[in-house]
Amino acid sequence: MTVTVAFSDEPRHVLDVAGGFLGSSPVVHNLMLTLLHARVAVPEPGRYWVATDDDEAVGVVFQSPAHNPAVVTPMPAGAVAAAVAAIAEAGVELPGVNGDPATAARFAGGWTEHHRSGARPVAGQRIYEVERLVSPTGVPGRLRPARAHDRDLLVDWLRRFTAEVGDISPGD
C-alpha cells in the first residue's frame, strides 16, 4: 500500500478526484457527499485532503469551516496514518474528528500520539439505510411531497423522533 495524501482548498477538486470513490457507496459517504456539494454550491473556506493508493482515492478528510472538527470517510488504517501525518506536518490544528467509529478512533489515536495529547469520545451517531420498503396496508393516504402547510406537523414529528432516539442536538 503506497498511500499519498493531497491537500486542496477546493471542494469541487475533491469531488473530481474522489467522486468515484464517494459515489461507490453513497449511503456510507452520505455526509461527505452532502458537505462537499454544499461547499460547492455555497463556498466557504475549508481544508480538504484526499488519500490515494496507487492514484485511486481511498479516503477523504473534510474541515470546513476551518474551526470545525474534521470529518473523515471510512478508510484503511494505512490511509488514516498517512492523513494524520500529512495534516499534522502541515501544522493544522483540529479540534476533533467525526466519522465512522473505527476510522474516527484510529484517526484520534494517531492524532493524539503525534501531538502527545489526549482525546475523548463526545457523541456517537448512526445512519440508517432502508434496504427494503414495505408499503403499509389497510391505511388511507398516499405518498406525496411535503408542502408548506405540512411544516408544523413535520417539525413535531422531527422533535418527537429526536426525543425518542435520545438526540441531544441543539436547536430546532
Side-chain angles (χ1 to χ4, degrees), residues 73-159:
T73 63
M75 62 183 96
V80 173
V84 167
I87 296 167
E89 289 166 11
V92 173
E93 291 298 320
L94 296 176
V97 61
N98 292 321
D100 76 286
T103 304
R106 194 173 287 124
F107 190 100
W111 189 262
T112 59
E113 286 179 21
H114 199 279
H115 287 86
R116 299 186 187 274
S117 62
R120 64 179 172 78
V122 175
Q125 299 178 345
R126 298 283 184 266
I127 187 165
Y128 296 93
E129 177 181 14
V130 174
E131 294 179 344
R132 186 174 64 89
L133 182 63
V134 178
S135 295
T137 58
V139 295
R142 62 179 169 73
L143 182 66
R144 67 167 174 80
R147 297 188 185 110
H149 71 271
D150 296 317
R151 184 183 185 286
D152 290 343
L153 176 62
L154 294 172
V155 168
D156 180 55
W157 284 350
L158 181 59
R159 285 186 179 140

Side-chain angles (χ1 to χ4, degrees), residues 11 21 70-71 82 142:
F21 163 72
V71 176
R142 62 179 169 73

Side-chain angles (χ1 to χ4, degrees), residues 35-58:
L35 293 172
L36 286 167
H37 283 290
R39 287 299 179 263
V40 168
V42 180
E44 187 167 338
R47 302 177 183 126
Y48 313 93
W49 297 268
V50 178
T52 57
D53 183 6
D54 293 329
D55 296 325
E56 185 175 322
V58 294

